[in-house]
């Protein structure tokens, strides 16, 4: 009989097909475990699949007395209580870099759409204002990408791919991360220094307590009135209220956002603004990314059930 694997978060059925071919899946579909299954069905579960951003703490883990592996579908694992997992001796795995190229593409797409006001231009054509030669202050010439100073916050796999793509637009690229890397871009010792230098800030840092609201009112002010911020990391990294105020008051020129503080709910204050480009957390949502992430999930599960260390472990002390 195939080994049993609990699916903790809610996933589209298409994303679970490959797992179901190899394992017997118990799909909680995002419900509380004690509401989805009787305790007897959970008693022998030793491995689970979860979305990295889904909150997974001690209470849920304690409902699974034999749990030995938490496997995150995707790169992130910020929703998992790593300390609780470590106390229980539960291994945590993820899919490092599996969707990096797709996320980087989305970051660049949001950057260009924001800086070149693509959505405003689209409305200008669709609404008939262009055909009617109706003047619009939003259609005045703006600074493009050539010669811009672009800052990347976070120089992991995604940050590196973003930087390489952005450099192709004849920009200067700088970055801030916890440590300096061997990359051909200018390093800044603080996020404040990076924001003072750049006019486009691309957020690609891992979410966690140390990065929560790291992009705050002060950082946005440092970007300046011709500045843009693009976030493809997690909504928690930006102070959303401060961002709304900065966009409304002209403190910065615009923003491109793929992630939000309370997904799937983007606040009305953001959706009402013409200088914001929004997407529904689709950064890594491409066919090739899902195949790569599924490969990592399967490699982790296969290793666990074979009694080996996870193929792509998360360090529980991080």
């Amino acid at each position: 009989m195939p080994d049993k694997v609990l699916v903790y978060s809610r996933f589209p059925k298409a994303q679970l097909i490959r797992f179901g071919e190899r394992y017997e899946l118990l799909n909680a579909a995002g419900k509380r475990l004690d509401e989805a299954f009787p305790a007897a069905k959970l008693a022998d579960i030793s491995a689970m699949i979860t979305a990295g951003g889904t909150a997974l703490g001690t209470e849920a883990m304690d409902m699974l007395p034999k749990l030995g592996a938490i496997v995150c579908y995707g790169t992130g694992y910020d929703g998992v209580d790593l300390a609780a997992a470590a106390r229980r001796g539960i291994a945590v795995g993820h899919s490092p870099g599996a969707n990096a190229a797709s996320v980087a593409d989305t970051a660049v797409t949001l950057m260009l759409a924001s800086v070149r006001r693509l959505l405003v231009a689209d409305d200008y054509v669709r609404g008939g204002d262009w055909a009617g030669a109706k003047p619009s202050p939003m259609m005045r010439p703006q600074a493009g990408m050539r010669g811009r100073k672009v800052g990347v916050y976070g120089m992991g796999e995604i940050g590196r791919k973003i930087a390489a793509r952005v450099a192709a637009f004849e920009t200067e690229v700088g970055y801030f991360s916890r440590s300096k890397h061997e990359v051909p871009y200018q390093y800044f010792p603080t996020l404040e220094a990076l924001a003072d230098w750049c006019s486009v800030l691309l957020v690609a840092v891992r979410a966690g307590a140390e990065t929560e609201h790291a992009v705050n009112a002060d950082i946005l002010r440092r970007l300046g009135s011709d500045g843009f911020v693009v976030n493809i990391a997690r909504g928690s990294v930006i102070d959303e209220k401060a961002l709304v105020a900065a966009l409304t008051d002209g403190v910065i020129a615009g923003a491109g956002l793929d992630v939000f503080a309370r997904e799937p709910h983007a606040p009305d204050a953001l959706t009402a603004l013409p200088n914001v480009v929004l997407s529904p957390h689709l950064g890594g949502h491409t066919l090739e990314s899902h195949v790569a992430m599924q490969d990592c999930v399967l490699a982790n599960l296969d290793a666990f059930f074979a009694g080996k260390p996870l193929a792509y472990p998360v360090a529980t002390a991080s």
Side-chain angles (χ1 to χ4, degrees), residues 30-296:
K31 298 178 183 177
R32 277 182 56 95
L33 295 183
D34 53 0
E35 294 176 356
F37 302 106
K41 250 195 168 175
L42 301 173
D44 61 345
I45 293 295
S46 59
M48 70 189 305
I49 300 169
T50 184
T54 301
L56 176 57
T58 303
E59 183 182 11
M61 294 182 202
D62 287 348
M63 295 181 194
L64 302 163
K66 292 187 179 180
L67 185 63
I70 296 170
V71 178
C72 297
Y73 187 120
T75 301
Y77 49 83
D78 46 295
V80 180
D81 187 335
L82 297 180
R87 286 194 298 270
R88 284 271 308 272
I90 300 169
V92 182
H94 65 143
S95 310
N99 62 4
S102 296
V103 175
D105 289 347
T106 298
V108 173
T109 300
L110 288 170
M111 177 188 71
L112 293 175
S114 300
V115 172
R116 298 303 305 273
R117 294 184 171 175
L118 189 60
L119 296 190
V120 172
D122 182 86
D123 287 343
Y124 190 65
V125 175
R126 291 176 188 273
D129 290 346
W130 187 39
K134 184 177 180 180
S136 168
M138 291 292 285
M139 293 303 300
R140 290 173 183 165
Q142 307 290 320
M145 291 306 303
R146 185 180 180 184
R148 272 194 184 266
K149 295 176 179 178
V150 179
V152 181
Y153 176 25
M155 195 47 67
E157 188 70 21
I158 293 173
R160 290 170 191 248
K161 289 185 181 296
I162 289 173
R165 285 158 169 75
V166 169
F169 291 96
E170 301 178 68
T171 65
E172 293 183 56
V173 181
Y175 74 98
F176 165 68
S177 65
R178 288 183 298 179
S179 56
K180 192 174 181 180
H181 298 271
E182 291 296 324
V183 292
Y185 314 114
Q186 184 175 351
Y187 173 73
F188 290 84
T190 65
L191 181 56
E192 288 80 5
L194 180 65
D196 283 337
W197 175 80
C198 70
S199 66
V200 178
L201 179 64
L202 291 150
V203 180
V205 73
R206 188 172 296 285
E210 70 281 2
T211 61
E212 185 171 359
H213 288 185
V215 179
N216 52 28
D218 178 57
I219 297 297
L220 296 170
R221 179 186 58 78
R222 291 170 185 268
L223 275 177
S225 58
D226 67 338
F228 294 81
V229 63
V230 174
N231 189 11
I232 47 77
R234 285 286 193 263
S236 62
V237 180
I238 295 182
D239 182 337
E240 213 165 69
K241 289 183 178 179
L243 176 61
V244 169
L247 290 164
T248 302
D249 299 339
V251 174
I252 63 173
L257 306 172
D258 187 47
V259 290
F260 306 90
R262 293 182 61 249
E263 296 180 1
H265 305 289
D268 292 343
L270 273 178
T271 60
L273 295 171
N275 54 343
V276 187
V277 180
L278 310 171
S279 56
H281 202 151
L282 51 67
H285 194 48
T286 61
L287 292 175
E288 59 270 22
S289 287
H290 281 295
V291 169
M293 289 186 286
Q294 290 161 17
D295 287 344
C296 291

